[in-house]
Amino acid sequence: MKNLTLSALLITSSLSAISLSEVINKSLVNSPSLESINAKIQANVYATDVANQFSNPELSLTKNSIDSSQAMSQTVLTIKQKLPYYGKRDSRQNITLAEDLVLKEKLNSAKARMVAKIKTEAYSIWELKELYKIINEYITLTKQNIELYEAYTSVDANQHMGIMKAELSLADLEIQKSVLNAKIYASYAKLSYLAAFDVKNLEINLKIAQKPNLDTFVPTLVNNPELLIKDKELKKEHAKIEVADLNNYPDINLIAGYSYRENFDNYFNFGLALSLPMYGTEDAQEEEVRASALSIVSQKEDTQIAISSQLKIYYAQMLSSYEIYHIIQDDALPQIAHMFELSNSSISTGGDLFKYIDVLFDKLALEQKSINAVSNYNKANAQISQLAGEIK
């Protein structure tokens, strides 16, 4: 009955578990922060429609105070329509179309950042759960060896001190277990916030993959969201320059009017009006936009330098984690495993429990560092994926 209950719990737990890819996919759909950018993109669609429209016509009605018996007495209805210089409407629309591309790149950048944060938090959960699991194993192992030591040895003062040390070590493990339990709970809360839905059981398995190679990462930076945003912002500034250049050419206003005279013939008026760019305002505005475009160019160059520096930092973290993991797995743990076997076998014959506990905790510390190295390797890789604009 007990085994049946345990099996049922395991099945229920596995059914409720969710993979990291599922968390990412759901978050990309449900995230409020992404939805706000989508709303801006939709708003810009209407701005694009407005940019290509003509200005509203102006309608005016005037009447003078001259007596109707006089020819100059009249009521005049006038309509005026501005006609932008050729290409101005299209150029204004190009600005909003460029803004649409900027917003979409910002959306991709926000997605990449969010995915990187979700991965980092998910890897923390894996790390904490692995640490929690080995702490449980060491608690069980320590309890078993205390019982074995007490069963096979007579308790003198020195041996009693060994048992006390083991029990203190056991208490320290229980404390670590409690701290890890709280951290796991908090990490799930953070992941749920990032994913915009409640994540209770994450199914994830991490490992150290191949040795990182900086040369394979560098080409992926061409898809960096921040660089792409600067490219789109520069295109927007060029569209603004085109508008500023066209603003040097005046718009034409078509004017038509109808004059009503009570005692005389009525008549129509037709005319043209245009603004005269005499004071250099348009030239100054054009130079202002050109300066802004140069600023974007400088910002892009600075962004390229910053991204290259970040890549080297994350690469160094990955490489260090890779090396630490293999030092522990290939060199340290095999050596300490032999020491552990010797200390473990000596317990049954009344050996020194102090030495056993020291070796036990040395092994635990190495396994903890190994788990930490796996987590840090994958976290650094997640940051590199963000630099490459990946959203999976």
Side-chain angles (χ1 to χ4, degrees), residues 57-107:
E58 297 180 18
L59 186 65
S60 62
L61 179 66
T62 61
K63 179 176 174 58
N64 61 36
S65 60
I66 299 175
D67 187 86
S68 61
S69 63
Q70 300 296 319
M72 294 297 292
S73 175
Q74 57 186 338
T75 300
V76 182
L77 181 66
T78 304
I79 186 169
K80 182 171 70 173
Q81 175 65 59
K82 177 187 284 188
L83 297 179
Y85 184 81
Y86 177 77
K88 276 190 178 181
R89 286 192 302 141
D90 290 338
S91 63
R92 285 199 301 263
Q93 190 176 53
N94 287 339
I95 294 177
T96 58
L97 292 173
E99 175 64 14
D100 182 68
L101 296 177
V102 171
L103 290 172
K104 286 178 179 178
E105 288 300 342
K106 286 184 177 180
L107 177 62

Side-chain angles (χ1 to χ4, degrees), residues 200-213:
K200 294 182 179 179
N201 187 13
L202 181 66
E203 181 182 345
I204 183 172
N205 184 30
L206 297 183
K207 61 181 181 179
I208 292 280
Q210 62 185 4
K211 186 176 181 179
N213 185 344

Side-chain angles (χ1 to χ4, degrees), residues 30-288:
N30 300 328
S31 173
S33 61
L34 297 181
E35 191 58 36
S36 66
I37 302 178
N38 279 318
K40 290 180 180 179
I41 292 174
Q42 185 58 42
N44 192 67
V45 172
Y46 299 111
T48 301
D49 292 337
V50 171
N52 199 37
Q53 297 296 328
F54 287 98
S55 300
N56 289 329
E58 297 180 18
L59 186 65
S60 62
L61 179 66
T62 61
K63 179 176 174 58
N64 61 36
S65 60
I66 299 175
D67 187 86
S68 61
S69 63
Q70 300 296 319
M72 294 297 292
S73 175
Q74 57 186 338
T75 300
V76 182
L77 181 66
T78 304
I79 186 169
K80 182 171 70 173
Q81 175 65 59
K82 177 187 284 188
L83 297 179
Y85 184 81
Y86 177 77
K88 276 190 178 181
R89 286 192 302 141
D90 290 338
S91 63
R92 285 199 301 263
Q93 190 176 53
N94 287 339
I95 294 177
T96 58
L97 292 173
E99 175 64 14
D100 182 68
L101 296 177
V102 171
L103 290 172
K104 286 178 179 178
E105 288 300 342
K106 286 184 177 180
L107 177 62
N108 291 333
S109 178
K111 286 180 179 180
R113 284 196 305 272
M114 186 179 70
V115 169
K117 289 180 180 179
I118 289 173
K119 285 182 179 180
T120 300
E121 202 59 52
Y123 298 159
S124 292
I125 289 174
W126 175 87
E127 179 182 0
L128 293 169
K129 288 170 73 174
E130 289 296 309
L131 292 173
Y132 187 89
K133 183 167 67 176
I134 67 166
I135 289 294
N136 266 335
E137 292 173 357
Y138 275 76
I139 287 174
T140 301
L141 187 60
T142 303
K143 287 179 178 178
Q144 289 174 349
N145 281 282
I146 289 174
E147 293 172 359
L148 186 65
Y149 193 80
E150 290 175 335
Y152 282 89
T153 63
S154 58
V155 180
D156 59 24
N158 290 333
Q159 291 164 345
H160 184 67
M161 286 291 291
I163 293 173
M164 288 180 65
K165 180 178 180 180
E167 290 175 342
L168 287 173
S169 299
L170 185 62
D172 181 63
L173 290 173
E174 293 286 1
I175 291 170
Q176 291 185 50
K177 179 180 175 180
S178 178
V179 171
L180 286 171
N181 191 45
K183 287 183 177 180
I184 291 171
Y185 182 85
S187 198
Y188 267 115
K190 292 177 183 177
L191 181 61
S192 298
Y193 164 72
L194 291 170
F197 70 95
D198 194 17
V199 182
K200 294 182 179 179
N201 187 13
L202 181 66
E203 181 182 345
I204 183 172
N205 184 30
L206 297 183
K207 61 181 181 179
I208 292 280
Q210 62 185 4
K211 186 176 181 179
N213 185 344
L214 184 61
D215 292 337
T216 62
F217 293 134
V218 172
T220 65
L221 295 184
V222 296
N223 297 320
N224 179 265
E226 298 304 317
L227 288 178
L228 294 178
I229 288 173
K230 293 302 177 186
D231 284 336
K232 301 303 185 292
E233 287 179 344
L234 191 57
K235 288 182 180 180
K236 181 181 175 181
E237 293 302 315
H238 287 158
K240 287 182 178 181
I241 291 172
E242 182 182 358
V243 171
D245 181 57
L246 288 174
N247 282 339
N248 284 289
Y249 301 92
D251 301 326
I252 296 176
N253 289 280
L254 295 180
I255 304 170
Y258 180 76
S259 297
Y260 167 75
R261 297 190 293 180
E262 186 175 344
N263 297 310
F264 299 91
D265 292 338
N266 302 326
Y267 62 92
F268 288 96
N269 289 311
F270 298 99
L272 297 174
L274 52 85
S275 60
L276 300 177
M278 296 174 57
Y279 303 111
T281 303
E282 290 75 13
D283 290 335
Q285 290 173 338
E286 183 177 350
E287 291 304 317
E288 179 184 0

